[in-house]
Amino acid sequence: MPSFLLAWYKRYLFKALAFTFSLIFVLIVGSQSFSSTSLSNQILWDTYGVPHIYGQTIPSAFKEFGWAQMQSHGNLLLSLYGQARGRAAQYWGEEYVESDQWILTMGVPDRARAWYAAQSPAFRSYLDAFASGINTYAQAHADLIDDSVEVVLPVKGEDILAHLQRVLNFTFIVDPTQVANLSHQQPKAGSNGWAISPQRSASGNAMLLANPHLPWSDLFLWYEAQITAPGIDAYGATLVGIPVLAIAFNDNLGWTHTVNTFDGWDAYELKLANGGYIFDGKVRPFESETFSLKVKQKDGSLSNKELVVRRSVHGAVFAADKTVALRVVGLDRPGTLEQWWDMARSQNFQQFQAVLQRLQLPMFTVMYADRAGHIMHLFNAQVPVRQQGNFADWEKIIPGDTSKTLWTKIHPYRDLPRIVDPDSGWLQNANDPPWTTTFPPAIDANNYPAYIAPRSMSFRAQRSAKMLFEDDKISFDEMVAYKHSTRMELGDRLLDDLIPAANKYGNNIAQRAAKVLQTWDRQANADSRGAVLFALWVQAMDLDTAFSQTWSEKSPRTTPDGLANPQAAVATLEAVAAEVEKTYGALNVPWGEVFRLKYGNVDLPANGGFGDLGIFRVLDFIAAKDNRFQPVAGDSFVAAIEFSQPVKAMALTSYGNASQPGSTHIGDQLPLFAQKKLRPVWRDSKNIKAHLVKKEVF
């Protein structure tokens, strides 16, 4: 049989079997009525597209979770797994060549196979079950999966671990753009996290606020779910394609993550000699491996590109203006997923901390609270043990010709900055170093190596700490309200200098702009007038040189402050004000008229803005049509939890809990976002039943 006919026949047979399986499944599901969640393996889908997964066994719960993720994000999930294999160009063409080169150069596929073999037999079976759920859904609903991504099927357990590496080690810790630019500047990713103890809680119960800010697309999308199986009943969210919850709570405890100020990679400059490189006075040969990278052409044929990967004792080698070798933490620690799983299964602080001590998760601050009233901030990271230097030193290119600069160990758990139950009664992190997690300060930077974390505090972190510091008794409703705060801390620092300077030095438009800024509420609410003018003025300023008083460790929450050059600031205001008036017809154009919540079929006035402005309610925008802006990152998954009896929780997945074409849950939570509201979390069978849309029984 000709190859093209054989391919057509296989595809036809697959679709036919899928239709048959789907029909049988629909008949089975349709005959079921709602019953006790303990009697069967099932997924209960609520009105916001959140799957409540019940497994009689742990493998069955994993399988259902794979099924659920495919139903909500099938095209995206398969695309991500295909890229993690390093075969995306083979599947989808030339535009994925650089992605494949990155994945293969960093050794992801081979390491994924090694990690899979290193899993405990039980957890390996869970990964297999998750993959089985993906494949089973694809067989049952092939008509709902895009034809272009079906080539990734079937998914295997090792694909999950390849995806995990791509997300954590080779995107969050280091990504290709950082290597290309030899820069440690972090990708646009951040978060807020709060933990409030009973002494500062109005109800006397500990509270937790989870609030990651990630891009609203690709591998950064959050997926909200509840997983119930023997030994676990946890609610939270994870990134698409990850088979366990990464941020979660149960009846007794919960945690969230923020991206921490952590340096987990280094670029070593190599001195080349005689076809190798110099190391400790001797010439060493490179290890070399050649890959045949297949690339799909427009006519469907495949071309081959040869990729030669060289490695030094440091790691993979990249050659541009300089020949550098990349060293990344965590590549010898395959237990991240099992650690997250066991964190969600923990029932008290002792159990939870014992799991953290494995130190398999390569990065992320852990902010924790529990029913017993404990709160904790852990600077969780696989920090290399370095012989010398501070944080800034290790962000530079490191000499690679000596073993004196080559780190081989990481700091154990006991070495990491950590505070449990501080006297203040509250903890916060807004991607600032751990030294500013609470006030009075509870972690002394002088007690740790200078390379662990920098010393700084952003305006967003200052705004975060200010709200907590100024409220002696915080209620659950107040915590939710604070979470939605759009006040610009930067405005509070600069307007008292800018407004009088504009009136003194400025022309007519500068003085009119000053009047607008004087009456502005200093927030980025949809109806805030003056926020657009101020934000665009800040964008035009060089904030590195703008302040008369720079940031000081002695005054971390009130500096930097003041204008270094008021006349230059006014000149910038004149230019920006003229452009705003010309573009939008008024200097006091409402924030929500210019900044829009445009996602899918939704288009609403936005509230919130750039964290650099000192806004706690983060939204990052890009230019859209008609001089408007639309969000691409920021508040993504939000959960507010009070460890009362029963637990009180509200949540929001800003962009909705699905990306699959045709889903009604794409953008369906944005109206609540626009209203600064969260929605109740339904965890018990009574509430789930009251909001049940669909039940699937397995």
Side-chain angles (χ1 to χ4, degrees):
M1 181 181 292
S3 59
F4 74 92
L5 285 177
L6 181 61
W8 177 87
Y9 175 76
K10 288 180 177 178
R11 185 173 185 80
Y12 175 83
L13 181 62
F14 179 81
K15 295 278 189 181
L17 290 172
F19 176 79
T20 303
F21 184 95
S22 180
L23 181 61
I24 294 171
F25 181 82
V26 168
L27 290 172
I28 293 173
V29 172
S31 68
Q32 302 292 327
S33 60
F34 191 95
S35 60
S36 170
T37 56
S38 64
L39 297 180
S40 58
N41 298 317
Q42 56 188 338
I43 304 176
L44 308 181
W45 294 90
D46 70 27
T47 54
Y48 287 101
V50 176
H52 302 264
I53 292 162
Y54 296 88
Q56 290 181 308
T57 66
I58 294 174
S60 63
F62 272 82
K63 184 174 182 178
E64 292 165 38
F65 198 28
W67 174 287
Q69 288 204 29
M70 281 293 287
Q71 185 161 318
S72 304
H73 293 287
N75 290 352
L76 173 62
L77 185 150
L78 293 178
S79 174
L80 294 176
Y81 282 9
Q83 292 173 68
R85 285 178 183 169
R87 296 170 62 186
Q90 175 183 338
Y91 298 150
W92 305 303
E94 187 77 30
E95 65 184 289
Y96 289 95
V97 167
E98 289 186 2
S99 171
D100 286 353
Q101 289 175 335
W102 172 247
I103 293 299
L104 294 173
T105 299
M106 301 316 299
V108 171
D110 286 343
R111 190 179 301 107
R113 286 187 282 272
W115 278 16
Y116 177 76
Q119 303 298 307
S120 67
F123 200 79
R124 191 183 307 123
S125 73
Y126 304 164
L127 297 180
D128 291 342
F130 185 80
S132 175
I134 292 170
N135 297 327
T136 303
Y137 181 89
Q139 290 172 349
H141 298 290
D143 57 318
L144 300 179
I145 304 299
D146 193 89
D147 291 348
S148 67
V149 296
E150 287 183 348
V151 66
V152 179
L153 296 164
V155 166
K156 299 179 180 179
E158 63 195 44
D159 291 318
I160 302 166
L161 295 167
H163 173 61
L164 176 74
Q165 283 182 53
R166 180 174 180 245
V167 171
L168 291 187
N169 301 91
F170 302 117
T171 299
F172 276 94
I173 292 178
V174 59
D175 72 9
T177 59
Q178 292 172 295
V179 176
N181 299 322
L182 294 179
S183 166
H184 277 70
Q185 183 173 350
Q186 291 291 326
K188 201 66 176 180
S191 302
N192 300 322
W194 282 4
I196 300 170
S197 76
Q199 74 187 69
R200 292 297 288 266
S201 166
S203 66
N205 300 311
M207 297 191 296
L208 181 71
L209 176 66
N211 182 205
H213 312 143
L214 293 179
W216 287 16
S217 60
D218 200 50
L219 57 79
F220 300 100
L221 281 189
W222 289 99
Y223 187 58
E224 188 176 348
Q226 180 180 4
I227 300 177
T228 303
I232 189 169
D233 183 359
Y235 191 105
T238 194
L239 298 176
V240 171
I242 302 298
V244 296
L245 299 176
I247 292 174
F249 68 95
N250 56 41
D251 283 333
N252 294 306
L253 59 82
W255 80 91
T256 188
H257 289 309
T258 62
V259 174
N260 43 357
T261 52
F262 158 62
D263 178 6
W265 70 279
D266 288 303
Y268 290 87
E269 184 175 3
L270 303 182
K271 293 182 179 180
L272 305 182
N274 301 325
Y277 62 99
I278 298 173
F279 188 75
D280 283 346
K282 297 179 180 180
V283 177
R284 287 199 177 196
F286 289 105
E287 294 180 11
S288 182
E289 186 175 7
T290 301
F291 295 91
S292 178
L293 201 158
K294 298 184 183 300
V295 183
K296 186 177 182 179
Q297 305 300 299
K298 291 182 179 179
D299 63 2
S301 64
L302 295 176
S303 67
N304 289 306
K305 286 191 175 184
E306 186 178 89
L307 173 65
V308 178
V309 176
R310 294 183 300 166
R311 299 183 182 91
S312 71
V313 67
H314 313 83
V317 174
F318 295 82
D321 295 337
K322 299 178 179 181
T323 300
V324 298
L326 194 65
R327 193 162 186 80
V328 184
V329 301
L331 306 187
D332 59 345
R333 300 208 164 200
T336 295
L337 294 178
E338 189 165 13
Q339 178 172 317
W340 263 332
W341 174 251
D342 287 343
M343 287 163 66
R345 294 172 62 237
S346 300
Q347 297 300 312
N348 57 53
F349 182 56
Q350 290 72 26
Q351 292 176 5
F352 188 83
Q353 187 166 227
V355 176
L356 290 179
Q357 289 172 356
R358 300 175 192 170
L359 211 56
Q360 295 293 308
L361 183 61
M363 65 176 294
F364 302 131
T365 293
V366 176
M367 197 71 73
Y368 168 94
D370 67 24
R371 181 182 299 282
H374 297 300
I375 62 173
M376 178 183 68
H377 175 147
L378 169 67
F379 184 82
N380 173 79
Q382 294 170 359
V383 180
V385 177
R386 292 158 169 150
Q387 293 188 26
Q388 59 187 2
N390 60 29
F391 193 85
D393 293 333
W394 285 91
E395 289 191 312
K396 301 172 184 176
I397 306 299
I398 308 301
D401 60 345
T402 172
S403 56
K404 293 181 180 179
T405 62
L406 181 66
W407 47 263
T408 58
K409 298 179 181 179
I410 66 168
H411 282 275
Y413 180 84
R414 64 177 178 273
D415 288 356
L416 301 177
R418 179 176 63 104
I419 182 64
V420 178
D421 299 337
D423 292 339
S424 65
W426 58 269
L427 295 164
Q428 72 81 35
N429 188 259
N431 309 117
D432 47 319
W435 329 125
T436 50
T437 186
T438 196
F439 293 91
I443 307 177
D444 187 348
N446 295 315
N447 294 334
Y448 298 86
Y451 56 71
I452 287 240
R455 300 189 184 196
S456 62
M457 192 176 191
S458 69
F459 285 110
R460 174 164 56 91
Q462 292 179 37
R463 179 66 191 155
S464 174
K466 184 176 183 179
M467 290 187 287
L468 288 164
F469 184 82
E470 293 181 350
D471 193 336
D472 290 336
K473 292 291 182 182
I474 303 171
S475 69
F476 181 86
D477 290 342
E478 285 175 327
M479 182 172 73
V480 172
Y482 290 149
K483 187 269 131 323
H484 291 112
S485 171
T486 68
R487 190 172 185 90
M488 295 189 192
E489 188 71 18
L490 193 53
D492 292 337
R493 300 298 171 79
L494 293 177
L495 289 181
D496 55 350
D497 281 3
L498 179 61
I499 291 171
N503 288 324
K504 180 177 180 180
Y505 302 116
N507 59 15
N508 176 265
I509 196 168
Q511 292 175 8
R512 288 193 290 117
K515 186 175 181 180
V516 169
L517 295 175
Q518 182 71 58
T519 57
W520 169 43
D521 62 7
R522 302 194 182 185
Q523 300 185 70
N525 293 327
D527 58 355
S528 292
R529 295 178 178 269
V532 172
L533 176 62
F534 181 76
L536 295 180
W537 172 76
V538 169
Q539 187 178 50
M541 292 285 290
D542 179 4
L543 289 185
D544 290 335
T545 60
F547 294 99
S548 57
Q549 184 181 359
T550 59
W551 185 78
S552 167
E553 282 190 81
K554 295 181 179 179
S555 304
R557 290 177 291 136
T558 57
T559 56
D561 195 13
L563 285 171
N565 189 335
Q567 287 180 279
V570 171
T572 301
L573 180 62
E574 290 173 352
V576 169
E579 189 65 28
V580 168
E581 192 167 56
K582 177 183 176 182
T583 303
Y584 301 112
L587 292 175
N588 66 344
V589 58
W591 180 263
E593 184 177 317
V594 176
F595 292 89
R596 308 293 299 178
L597 286 176
K598 186 173 177 58
Y599 188 89
N601 295 322
V602 179
D603 187 357
L604 296 167
N607 62 81
F610 302 99
D612 292 346
L613 296 168
I615 300 177
F616 194 67
R617 158 71 139 191
V618 173
L619 272 185
D620 294 329
F621 296 90
I622 59 169
K625 296 179 180 178
D626 303 322
N627 295 305
R628 267 52 181 177
F629 297 84
Q630 67 183 54
V632 291
D635 273 20
S636 40
F637 173 69
V638 180
I641 304 121
E642 179 179 333
F643 289 98
S644 52
Q645 183 63 38
V647 171
K648 181 177 182 179
M650 301 189 76
L652 196 77
T653 301
S654 302
Y655 34 68
N657 211 35
S659 63
Q660 196 64 1
S663 173
T664 59
H665 301 298
I666 299 174
D668 65 335
Q669 298 181 50
L670 276 174
L672 290 173
F673 187 106
Q675 299 170 50
K676 292 187 172 182
K677 291 182 179 179
L678 305 180
R679 51 176 180 72
V681 167
W682 301 310
R683 294 179 61 227
D684 61 88
S685 59
K686 179 181 178 181
N687 281 318
I688 296 169
K689 181 178 179 180
H691 302 91
L692 184 67
V693 171
K694 181 173 66 172
K695 174 182 178 180
E696 295 178 298
V697 177
F698 299 82

